[in-house]
Amino acid sequence: MDHFDCEVLIVGLGPVGAALAALLADAGVTSIAVEKDVSVYPLPRAAHFDHEIMRLFQQLGVADEVLSHARPAPAYEFRAADGRPLVHIPVSPRPAISGWANGYMFNQPGLETALRARLSASPLTQIRLGRRFESLAADAEGVTAVVAGPDGPETVRARYLVGCDGASSPVREALGGRLSSYGFDEPWLVIDAVVRPGGRVPDLNLQICDPARPTTCVLMGPGRHRWEFMLLPGETAEAVLGDDFIQDLLADWDVGQAIGIDRKAVYRFHGLMAETWRAGRVLLAGDAAHQTPPFAGQGMCSGLRDAANLAWKLKAVLREGAAEGLLDSYQAEREPNCRAYIELAIAMGRVVCTLDPEVAAQRDAQMLAQRAAGALPLPPMAPPPLSTGVIAPGTAGSGSQFPQPWTEVNGERLGLDDVLGAGAWLIVDGPLPGAGQAPPSLRIVSLADPLLAPFRAALGAWLGEHDAAAVLVRPDRYVFGSGAAGELMRGYAAALG
Ligand SMILES: Cc1cc2nc3c(=O)[nH]c(=O)nc-3n(C[C@H](O)[C@H](O)[C@H](O)COP(=O)(O)OP(=O)(O)OC[C@H]3O[C@@H](n4cnc5c(N)ncnc54)[C@H](O)[C@@H]3O)c2cc1C
């Protein structure tokens, strides 16, 4: 049993599995990704990702390719049936903390194709399409999975297995993993359209809170638009997917000649959370671990944050002698963040999915009054920082996202992440500590290093605001902690176990 085909077996090559494989390859970890389908999933799904995810694409070297399938997100507005704005979330004129626009609207198949192209160039990743995961057996050393391939069953043995196999996750089933539900469960018809040249469609994202037919209308990647219509009681998926029915629904939007329908599907929008994300050497990520209604555009983003969180911890355990218990911090850190986004999405969904006209009228009156008073009648748009896991609690900024300042070299934008590269960083204003106690992949860099010259003012300002001589930034760009360099290094080494 001591032969291993790879270090990590990834089941499912959706966006989360693909990003995890790419991050592991960058970390020098071998993986095999098995995927039951032979091509990218053809039905409508994610349309939005946020700036943190764009930073991840930058880290993976696919930012330019992804941007060719994306455009900055416009303002987001919830409207009453009579057109009055209930909530208006404007576009921030300033870049987000990551240095990118706050959000992007995109075409998911284009993104997935870009991620797969990135993987096919990596010698550390094997992609095996047309392979269906069937079962697993875990032991003290690793996991052996049985996969049905074109020539019959195959086995793959790995140190760890990560189920990135989506909402119905056979890996989660194999673990007997239970899902807890938020009790939000609404059926919607989703229509993706190609906008013909010169075609006019709305230029902001809209939730039409009309109790007669709650409707979403959002931008996607360049030249694409999406409409979503809530199913009313008694309507079936089969009926609403009919061409005539769809034409009737779109009639109010006056886009008949402007668009061509590209993809359509009926989904149930719900909020679900797997109770256990790790059983020994088997872990879950993405929709396998949690599902989010799409109103905040965060389901895939949450899954990609899982991949970013898990990849560096797997590397630390597999390559750097970190204790396996480090992997317990994965769910501890990620679950509260996912829950915050699910709760935000459900709060938005409850506003939109109101079918009772009287309740809708009361809602409108209340929200208009809140708006007039300058309040946002929704939970916070950004979740709180990490409060547990691999952080130095109580030190300023710990658990928050570390900013990425940018500069321009020969007309090209260059970010701090491009200069310092993958892995954890210890940025020190003052004498550097001896590297003796440092974890192997920690990059220790002085603020005086010429490399940091273009970013010195921004980094110095961060340290000044946090009253710290040093900051230790984790590989997923969350702050481990700030303070004295030697203490941070020792604390980080101890946290890795
Ligand atoms: C209408 C809609 C709108 C959405 N909008 C947004 C949005 O704007 N922003 C956002 O961030 N998210 C959004 N989401 C959510 C987002 O699409 C998902 O969270 C995301 O696709 C999940 O990625 P994943 O890789 O975890 O799973 P998936 O994309 O489902 O990929 C799982 C993969 O596993 C494979 N697989 C399954 N079983 C097996 C098996 N036995 N063996 C091998 N392979 C297997 C599947 O074929 C699939 O390729 C939306 C979802 C919907 C439905």
Side-chain angles (χ1 to χ4, degrees), residues 341-374:
Y341 278 120
I342 292 176
E343 285 158 21
L344 169 63
I346 289 178
M348 289 176 161
R350 292 207 195 286
V351 170
V352 183
C353 299
T354 301
L355 295 179
D356 182 324
E358 273 179 35
V359 175
Q362 284 166 13
R363 170 204 65 197
D364 293 354
Q366 192 181 359
M367 291 181 77
L368 288 166
Q370 281 171 307
R371 187 154 189 248

PDB file of all heavy atoms in Angstrom, residues 341-374:
ATOM      1  N   TYR A 341     -21.651  34.819   3.816  1.00  0.00           N
ATOM      2  CA  TYR A 341     -22.114  35.069   2.444  1.00  0.00           C
ATOM      3  C   TYR A 341     -23.471  34.410   2.191  1.00  0.00           C
ATOM      4  O   TYR A 341     -24.320  34.975   1.493  1.00  0.00           O
ATOM      5  CB  TYR A 341     -21.079  34.593   1.431  1.00  0.00           C
ATOM      6  CG  TYR A 341     -19.966  35.596   1.222  1.00  0.00           C
ATOM      7  CD1 TYR A 341     -18.643  35.266   1.495  1.00  0.00           C
ATOM      8  CD2 TYR A 341     -20.235  36.877   0.750  1.00  0.00           C
ATOM      9  CE1 TYR A 341     -17.621  36.189   1.299  1.00  0.00           C
ATOM     10  CE2 TYR A 341     -19.220  37.805   0.561  1.00  0.00           C
ATOM     11  CZ  TYR A 341     -17.919  37.458   0.835  1.00  0.00           C
ATOM     12  OH  TYR A 341     -16.922  38.386   0.642  1.00  0.00           O
ATOM     13  N   ILE A 342     -23.677  33.203   2.730  1.00  0.00           N
ATOM     14  CA  ILE A 342     -24.983  32.544   2.528  1.00  0.00           C
ATOM     15  C   ILE A 342     -26.076  33.402   3.176  1.00  0.00           C
ATOM     16  O   ILE A 342     -27.148  33.626   2.600  1.00  0.00           O
ATOM     17  CB  ILE A 342     -24.980  31.116   3.132  1.00  0.00           C
ATOM     18  CG1 ILE A 342     -24.036  30.201   2.344  1.00  0.00           C
ATOM     19  CG2 ILE A 342     -26.388  30.533   3.136  1.00  0.00           C
ATOM     20  CD1 ILE A 342     -23.886  28.805   2.929  1.00  0.00           C
ATOM     21  N   GLU A 343     -25.785  33.905   4.375  1.00  0.00           N
ATOM     22  CA  GLU A 343     -26.813  34.682   5.082  1.00  0.00           C
ATOM     23  C   GLU A 343     -27.099  36.004   4.352  1.00  0.00           C
ATOM     24  O   GLU A 343     -28.243  36.449   4.277  1.00  0.00           O
ATOM     25  CB  GLU A 343     -26.391  34.887   6.542  1.00  0.00           C
ATOM     26  CG  GLU A 343     -26.583  33.584   7.321  1.00  0.00           C
ATOM     27  CD  GLU A 343     -25.760  33.456   8.601  1.00  0.00           C
ATOM     28  OE1 GLU A 343     -25.330  34.485   9.131  1.00  0.00           O
ATOM     29  OE2 GLU A 343     -25.554  32.291   9.039  1.00  0.00           O
ATOM     30  N   LEU A 344     -26.051  36.602   3.786  1.00  0.00           N
ATOM     31  CA  LEU A 344     -26.263  37.812   2.985  1.00  0.00           C
ATOM     32  C   LEU A 344     -27.136  37.482   1.765  1.00  0.00           C
ATOM     33  O   LEU A 344     -28.103  38.196   1.461  1.00  0.00           O
ATOM     34  CB  LEU A 344     -24.908  38.372   2.522  1.00  0.00           C
ATOM     35  CG  LEU A 344     -24.954  39.486   1.473  1.00  0.00           C
ATOM     36  CD1 LEU A 344     -25.650  40.723   2.029  1.00  0.00           C
ATOM     37  CD2 LEU A 344     -23.553  39.845   0.984  1.00  0.00           C
ATOM     38  N   ALA A 345     -26.792  36.375   1.088  1.00  0.00           N
ATOM     39  CA  ALA A 345     -27.537  36.006  -0.133  1.00  0.00           C
ATOM     40  C   ALA A 345     -28.999  35.689   0.214  1.00  0.00           C
ATOM     41  O   ALA A 345     -29.917  36.072  -0.528  1.00  0.00           O
ATOM     42  CB  ALA A 345     -26.873  34.809  -0.802  1.00  0.00           C
ATOM     43  N   ILE A 346     -29.210  35.009   1.334  1.00  0.00           N
ATOM     44  CA  ILE A 346     -30.593  34.672   1.699  1.00  0.00           C
ATOM     45  C   ILE A 346     -31.363  35.947   2.084  1.00  0.00           C
ATOM     46  O   ILE A 346     -32.541  36.099   1.724  1.00  0.00           O
ATOM     47  CB  ILE A 346     -30.615  33.608   2.816  1.00  0.00           C
ATOM     48  CG1 ILE A 346     -30.151  32.274   2.219  1.00  0.00           C
ATOM     49  CG2 ILE A 346     -32.001  33.476   3.432  1.00  0.00           C
ATOM     50  CD1 ILE A 346     -30.073  31.121   3.202  1.00  0.00           C
ATOM     51  N   ALA A 347     -30.701  36.864   2.777  1.00  0.00           N
ATOM     52  CA  ALA A 347     -31.383  38.126   3.113  1.00  0.00           C
ATOM     53  C   ALA A 347     -31.798  38.848   1.830  1.00  0.00           C
ATOM     54  O   ALA A 347     -32.912  39.371   1.724  1.00  0.00           O
ATOM     55  CB  ALA A 347     -30.467  39.003   3.965  1.00  0.00           C
ATOM     56  N   MET A 348     -30.897  38.858   0.846  1.00  0.00           N
ATOM     57  CA  MET A 348     -31.247  39.480  -0.445  1.00  0.00           C
ATOM     58  C   MET A 348     -32.392  38.697  -1.103  1.00  0.00           C
ATOM     59  O   MET A 348     -33.341  39.279  -1.625  1.00  0.00           O
ATOM     60  CB  MET A 348     -30.036  39.460  -1.388  1.00  0.00           C
ATOM     61  CG  MET A 348     -28.933  40.418  -0.998  1.00  0.00           C
ATOM     62  SD  MET A 348     -27.522  40.204  -2.106  1.00  0.00           S
ATOM     63  CE  MET A 348     -26.665  41.757  -1.844  1.00  0.00           C
ATOM     64  N   GLY A 349     -32.280  37.358  -1.063  1.00  0.00           N
ATOM     65  CA  GLY A 349     -33.287  36.511  -1.693  1.00  0.00           C
ATOM     66  C   GLY A 349     -34.660  36.690  -1.061  1.00  0.00           C
ATOM     67  O   GLY A 349     -35.677  36.716  -1.760  1.00  0.00           O
ATOM     68  N   ARG A 350     -34.701  36.858   0.257  1.00  0.00           N
ATOM     69  CA  ARG A 350     -36.003  37.023   0.916  1.00  0.00           C
ATOM     70  C   ARG A 350     -36.654  38.341   0.497  1.00  0.00           C
ATOM     71  O   ARG A 350     -37.876  38.452   0.430  1.00  0.00           O
ATOM     72  CB  ARG A 350     -35.856  36.940   2.438  1.00  0.00           C
ATOM     73  CG  ARG A 350     -35.480  35.547   2.916  1.00  0.00           C
ATOM     74  CD  ARG A 350     -35.950  35.286   4.339  1.00  0.00           C
ATOM     75  NE  ARG A 350     -35.306  34.104   4.923  1.00  0.00           N
ATOM     76  CZ  ARG A 350     -35.585  32.853   4.612  1.00  0.00           C
ATOM     77  NH1 ARG A 350     -36.495  32.591   3.707  1.00  0.00           N
ATOM     78  NH2 ARG A 350     -34.942  31.844   5.187  1.00  0.00           N
ATOM     79  N   VAL A 351     -35.818  39.351   0.241  1.00  0.00           N
ATOM     80  CA  VAL A 351     -36.376  40.613  -0.272  1.00  0.00           C
ATOM     81  C   VAL A 351     -37.020  40.364  -1.632  1.00  0.00           C
ATOM     82  O   VAL A 351     -38.150  40.778  -1.902  1.00  0.00           O
ATOM     83  CB  VAL A 351     -35.270  41.692  -0.396  1.00  0.00           C
ATOM     84  CG1 VAL A 351     -35.779  42.908  -1.151  1.00  0.00           C
ATOM     85  CG2 VAL A 351     -34.752  42.090   0.977  1.00  0.00           C
ATOM     86  N   VAL A 352     -36.283  39.647  -2.486  1.00  0.00           N
ATOM     87  CA  VAL A 352     -36.732  39.499  -3.878  1.00  0.00           C
ATOM     88  C   VAL A 352     -37.889  38.509  -4.009  1.00  0.00           C
ATOM     89  O   VAL A 352     -38.844  38.757  -4.755  1.00  0.00           O
ATOM     90  CB  VAL A 352     -35.544  39.030  -4.762  1.00  0.00           C
ATOM     91  CG1 VAL A 352     -35.981  38.939  -6.222  1.00  0.00           C
ATOM     92  CG2 VAL A 352     -34.360  39.962  -4.623  1.00  0.00           C
ATOM     93  N   CYS A 353     -37.791  37.378  -3.296  1.00  0.00           N
ATOM     94  CA  CYS A 353     -38.711  36.246  -3.552  1.00  0.00           C
ATOM     95  C   CYS A 353     -40.043  36.387  -2.812  1.00  0.00           C
ATOM     96  O   CYS A 353     -40.606  35.386  -2.349  1.00  0.00           O
ATOM     97  CB  CYS A 353     -38.050  34.931  -3.157  1.00  0.00           C
ATOM     98  SG  CYS A 353     -36.559  34.564  -4.050  1.00  0.00           S
ATOM     99  N   THR A 354     -40.555  37.578  -2.660  1.00  0.00           N
ATOM    100  CA  THR A 354     -41.823  37.790  -1.958  1.00  0.00           C
ATOM    101  C   THR A 354     -42.968  37.765  -2.972  1.00  0.00           C
ATOM    102  O   THR A 354     -42.997  38.582  -3.887  1.00  0.00           O
ATOM    103  CB  THR A 354     -41.788  39.157  -1.231  1.00  0.00           C
ATOM    104  OG1 THR A 354     -40.690  39.127  -0.326  1.00  0.00           O
ATOM    105  CG2 THR A 354     -43.058  39.440  -0.482  1.00  0.00           C
ATOM    106  N   LEU A 355     -43.911  36.839  -2.784  1.00  0.00           N
ATOM    107  CA  LEU A 355     -45.005  36.700  -3.754  1.00  0.00           C
ATOM    108  C   LEU A 355     -46.315  37.325  -3.264  1.00  0.00           C
ATOM    109  O   LEU A 355     -47.239  37.527  -4.048  1.00  0.00           O
ATOM    110  CB  LEU A 355     -45.236  35.215  -4.067  1.00  0.00           C
ATOM    111  CG  LEU A 355     -44.071  34.506  -4.786  1.00  0.00           C
ATOM    112  CD1 LEU A 355     -44.409  33.040  -5.018  1.00  0.00           C
ATOM    113  CD2 LEU A 355     -43.752  35.183  -6.099  1.00  0.00           C
ATOM    114  N   ASP A 356     -46.394  37.602  -1.964  1.00  0.00           N
ATOM    115  CA  ASP A 356     -47.638  38.157  -1.405  1.00  0.00           C
ATOM    116  C   ASP A 356     -47.643  39.682  -1.627  1.00  0.00           C
ATOM    117  O   ASP A 356     -46.773  40.393  -1.101  1.00  0.00           O
ATOM    118  CB  ASP A 356     -47.683  37.822   0.095  1.00  0.00           C
ATOM    119  CG  ASP A 356     -48.957  38.312   0.746  1.00  0.00           C
ATOM    120  OD1 ASP A 356     -49.445  39.400   0.365  1.00  0.00           O
ATOM    121  OD2 ASP A 356     -49.473  37.618   1.644  1.00  0.00           O
ATOM    122  N   PRO A 357     -48.621  40.219  -2.397  1.00  0.00           N
ATOM    123  CA  PRO A 357     -48.606  41.661  -2.706  1.00  0.00           C
ATOM    124  C   PRO A 357     -48.649  42.549  -1.463  1.00  0.00           C
ATOM    125  O   PRO A 357     -48.003  43.603  -1.426  1.00  0.00           O
ATOM    126  CB  PRO A 357     -49.867  41.861  -3.555  1.00  0.00           C
ATOM    127  CG  PRO A 357     -50.259  40.511  -4.029  1.00  0.00           C
ATOM    128  CD  PRO A 357     -49.741  39.516  -3.044  1.00  0.00           C
ATOM    129  N   GLU A 358     -49.394  42.112  -0.422  1.00  0.00           N
ATOM    130  CA  GLU A 358     -49.459  42.965   0.784  1.00  0.00           C
ATOM    131  C   GLU A 358     -48.122  43.000   1.501  1.00  0.00           C
ATOM    132  O   GLU A 358     -47.643  44.050   1.938  1.00  0.00           O
ATOM    133  CB  GLU A 358     -50.520  42.417   1.741  1.00  0.00           C
ATOM    134  CG  GLU A 358     -51.889  42.955   1.421  1.00  0.00           C
ATOM    135  CD  GLU A 358     -52.944  42.388   2.355  1.00  0.00           C
ATOM    136  OE1 GLU A 358     -52.619  42.166   3.544  1.00  0.00           O
ATOM    137  OE2 GLU A 358     -54.060  42.142   1.882  1.00  0.00           O
ATOM    138  N   VAL A 359     -47.512  41.815   1.622  1.00  0.00           N
ATOM    139  CA  VAL A 359     -46.187  41.759   2.268  1.00  0.00           C
ATOM    140  C   VAL A 359     -45.194  42.585   1.448  1.00  0.00           C
ATOM    141  O   VAL A 359     -44.358  43.315   1.999  1.00  0.00           O
ATOM    142  CB  VAL A 359     -45.717  40.286   2.403  1.00  0.00           C
ATOM    143  CG1 VAL A 359     -44.304  40.212   2.965  1.00  0.00           C
ATOM    144  CG2 VAL A 359     -46.683  39.490   3.274  1.00  0.00           C
ATOM    145  N   ALA A 360     -45.298  42.479   0.117  1.00  0.00           N
ATOM    146  CA  ALA A 360     -44.378  43.231  -0.750  1.00  0.00           C
ATOM    147  C   ALA A 360     -44.568  44.743  -0.552  1.00  0.00           C
ATOM    148  O   ALA A 360     -43.589  45.510  -0.511  1.00  0.00           O
ATOM    149  CB  ALA A 360     -44.607  42.854  -2.204  1.00  0.00           C
ATOM    150  N   ALA A 361     -45.814  45.177  -0.406  1.00  0.00           N
ATOM    151  CA  ALA A 361     -46.073  46.612  -0.214  1.00  0.00           C
ATOM    152  C   ALA A 361     -45.466  47.090   1.105  1.00  0.00           C
ATOM    153  O   ALA A 361     -44.847  48.168   1.179  1.00  0.00           O
ATOM    154  CB  ALA A 361     -47.577  46.872  -0.252  1.00  0.00           C
ATOM    155  N   GLN A 362     -45.619  46.273   2.162  1.00  0.00           N
ATOM    156  CA  GLN A 362     -45.020  46.653   3.468  1.00  0.00           C
ATOM    157  C   GLN A 362     -43.497  46.702   3.351  1.00  0.00           C
ATOM    158  O   GLN A 362     -42.837  47.601   3.866  1.00  0.00           O
ATOM    159  CB  GLN A 362     -45.397  45.623   4.535  1.00  0.00           C
ATOM    160  CG  GLN A 362     -46.818  45.764   5.023  1.00  0.00           C
ATOM    161  CD  GLN A 362     -47.261  44.529   5.809  1.00  0.00           C
ATOM    162  OE1 GLN A 362     -46.454  43.684   6.184  1.00  0.00           O
ATOM    163  NE2 GLN A 362     -48.547  44.409   6.032  1.00  0.00           N
ATOM    164  N   ARG A 363     -42.948  45.686   2.674  1.00  0.00           N
ATOM    165  CA  ARG A 363     -41.481  45.637   2.475  1.00  0.00           C
ATOM    166  C   ARG A 363     -40.996  46.899   1.762  1.00  0.00           C
ATOM    167  O   ARG A 363     -40.044  47.542   2.181  1.00  0.00           O
ATOM    168  CB  ARG A 363     -41.137  44.402   1.636  1.00  0.00           C
ATOM    169  CG  ARG A 363     -39.699  44.363   1.148  1.00  0.00           C
ATOM    170  CD  ARG A 363     -39.567  43.488  -0.095  1.00  0.00           C
ATOM    171  NE  ARG A 363     -40.296  44.046  -1.232  1.00  0.00           N
ATOM    172  CZ  ARG A 363     -40.633  43.367  -2.325  1.00  0.00           C
ATOM    173  NH1 ARG A 363     -40.333  42.089  -2.415  1.00  0.00           N
ATOM    174  NH2 ARG A 363     -41.287  43.956  -3.325  1.00  0.00           N
ATOM    175  N   ASP A 364     -41.715  47.269   0.683  1.00  0.00           N
ATOM    176  CA  ASP A 364     -41.301  48.443  -0.089  1.00  0.00           C
ATOM    177  C   ASP A 364     -41.316  49.693   0.797  1.00  0.00           C
ATOM    178  O   ASP A 364     -40.359  50.487   0.782  1.00  0.00           O
ATOM    179  CB  ASP A 364     -42.243  48.657  -1.277  1.00  0.00           C
ATOM    180  CG  ASP A 364     -42.131  47.545  -2.310  1.00  0.00           C
ATOM    181  OD1 ASP A 364     -41.234  46.685  -2.151  1.00  0.00           O
ATOM    182  OD2 ASP A 364     -42.934  47.534  -3.260  1.00  0.00           O
ATOM    183  N   ALA A 365     -42.391  49.838   1.575  1.00  0.00           N
ATOM    184  CA  ALA A 365     -42.505  51.035   2.415  1.00  0.00           C
ATOM    185  C   ALA A 365     -41.356  51.088   3.420  1.00  0.00           C
ATOM    186  O   ALA A 365     -40.714  52.132   3.617  1.00  0.00           O
ATOM    187  CB  ALA A 365     -43.854  51.025   3.135  1.00  0.00           C
ATOM    188  N   GLN A 366     -41.081  49.921   4.024  1.00  0.00           N
ATOM    189  CA  GLN A 366     -40.020  49.873   5.035  1.00  0.00           C
ATOM    190  C   GLN A 366     -38.647  50.164   4.404  1.00  0.00           C
ATOM    191  O   GLN A 366     -37.855  50.945   4.936  1.00  0.00           O
ATOM    192  CB  GLN A 366     -40.030  48.475   5.655  1.00  0.00           C
ATOM    193  CG  GLN A 366     -39.200  48.384   6.899  1.00  0.00           C
ATOM    194  CD  GLN A 366     -39.228  46.950   7.445  1.00  0.00           C
ATOM    195  OE1 GLN A 366     -39.881  46.062   6.892  1.00  0.00           O
ATOM    196  NE2 GLN A 366     -38.512  46.740   8.518  1.00  0.00           N
ATOM    197  N   MET A 367     -38.392  49.561   3.246  1.00  0.00           N
ATOM    198  CA  MET A 367     -37.070  49.745   2.628  1.00  0.00           C
ATOM    199  C   MET A 367     -36.899  51.166   2.101  1.00  0.00           C
ATOM    200  O   MET A 367     -35.806  51.731   2.175  1.00  0.00           O
ATOM    201  CB  MET A 367     -36.861  48.715   1.517  1.00  0.00           C
ATOM    202  CG  MET A 367     -36.708  47.307   2.069  1.00  0.00           C
ATOM    203  SD  MET A 367     -36.436  46.065   0.808  1.00  0.00           S
ATOM    204  CE  MET A 367     -34.722  46.307   0.410  1.00  0.00           C
ATOM    205  N   LEU A 368     -37.978  51.736   1.594  1.00  0.00           N
ATOM    206  CA  LEU A 368     -37.875  53.122   1.114  1.00  0.00           C
ATOM    207  C   LEU A 368     -37.590  54.063   2.286  1.00  0.00           C
ATOM    208  O   LEU A 368     -36.793  55.006   2.157  1.00  0.00           O
ATOM    209  CB  LEU A 368     -39.162  53.521   0.388  1.00  0.00           C
ATOM    210  CG  LEU A 368     -39.352  52.869  -0.987  1.00  0.00           C
ATOM    211  CD1 LEU A 368     -40.785  53.048  -1.493  1.00  0.00           C
ATOM    212  CD2 LEU A 368     -38.353  53.442  -1.999  1.00  0.00           C
ATOM    213  N   ALA A 369     -38.207  53.756   3.434  1.00  0.00           N
ATOM    214  CA  ALA A 369     -37.958  54.603   4.614  1.00  0.00           C
ATOM    215  C   ALA A 369     -36.502  54.439   5.062  1.00  0.00           C
ATOM    216  O   ALA A 369     -35.827  55.436   5.385  1.00  0.00           O
ATOM    217  CB  ALA A 369     -38.913  54.208   5.743  1.00  0.00           C
ATOM    218  N   GLN A 370     -36.012  53.173   5.048  1.00  0.00           N
ATOM    219  CA  GLN A 370     -34.617  52.950   5.446  1.00  0.00           C
ATOM    220  C   GLN A 370     -33.674  53.673   4.484  1.00  0.00           C
ATOM    221  O   GLN A 370     -32.686  54.276   4.885  1.00  0.00           O
ATOM    222  CB  GLN A 370     -34.301  51.449   5.449  1.00  0.00           C
ATOM    223  CG  GLN A 370     -34.827  50.737   6.694  1.00  0.00           C
ATOM    224  CD  GLN A 370     -34.696  49.234   6.575  1.00  0.00           C
ATOM    225  OE1 GLN A 370     -35.153  48.643   5.617  1.00  0.00           O
ATOM    226  NE2 GLN A 370     -34.067  48.627   7.562  1.00  0.00           N
ATOM    227  N   ARG A 371     -34.006  53.601   3.204  1.00  0.00           N
ATOM    228  CA  ARG A 371     -33.148  54.239   2.191  1.00  0.00           C
ATOM    229  C   ARG A 371     -33.124  55.757   2.415  1.00  0.00           C
ATOM    230  O   ARG A 371     -32.061  56.386   2.348  1.00  0.00           O
ATOM    231  CB  ARG A 371     -33.693  53.888   0.803  1.00  0.00           C
ATOM    232  CG  ARG A 371     -32.802  54.356  -0.274  1.00  0.00           C
ATOM    233  CD  ARG A 371     -32.896  53.580  -1.555  1.00  0.00           C
ATOM    234  NE  ARG A 371     -31.810  54.045  -2.395  1.00  0.00           N
ATOM    235  CZ  ARG A 371     -31.952  54.732  -3.507  1.00  0.00           C
ATOM    236  NH1 ARG A 371     -33.139  54.981  -3.985  1.00  0.00           N
ATOM    237  NH2 ARG A 371     -30.899  55.158  -4.178  1.00  0.00           N
ATOM    238  N   ALA A 372     -34.314  56.298   2.691  1.00  0.00           N
ATOM    239  CA  ALA A 372     -34.386  57.746   2.917  1.00  0.00           C
ATOM    240  C   ALA A 372     -33.554  58.147   4.131  1.00  0.00           C
ATOM    241  O   ALA A 372     -32.988  59.239   4.189  1.00  0.00           O
ATOM    242  CB  ALA A 372     -35.843  58.172   3.101  1.00  0.00           C
ATOM    243  N   ALA A 373     -33.452  57.216   5.106  1.00  0.00           N
ATOM    244  CA  ALA A 373     -32.673  57.512   6.314  1.00  0.00           C
ATOM    245  C   ALA A 373     -31.185  57.211   6.109  1.00  0.00           C
ATOM    246  O   ALA A 373     -30.390  57.295   7.040  1.00  0.00           O
ATOM    247  CB  ALA A 373     -33.224  56.697   7.492  1.00  0.00           C
ATOM    248  N   GLY A 374     -30.820  56.797   4.898  1.00  0.00           N
ATOM    249  CA  GLY A 374     -29.403  56.545   4.600  1.00  0.00           C
ATOM    250  C   GLY A 374     -28.906  55.193   5.056  1.00  0.00           C
ATOM    251  O   GLY A 374     -27.698  54.959   5.095  1.00  0.00           O
TER     252      GLY A 374
END
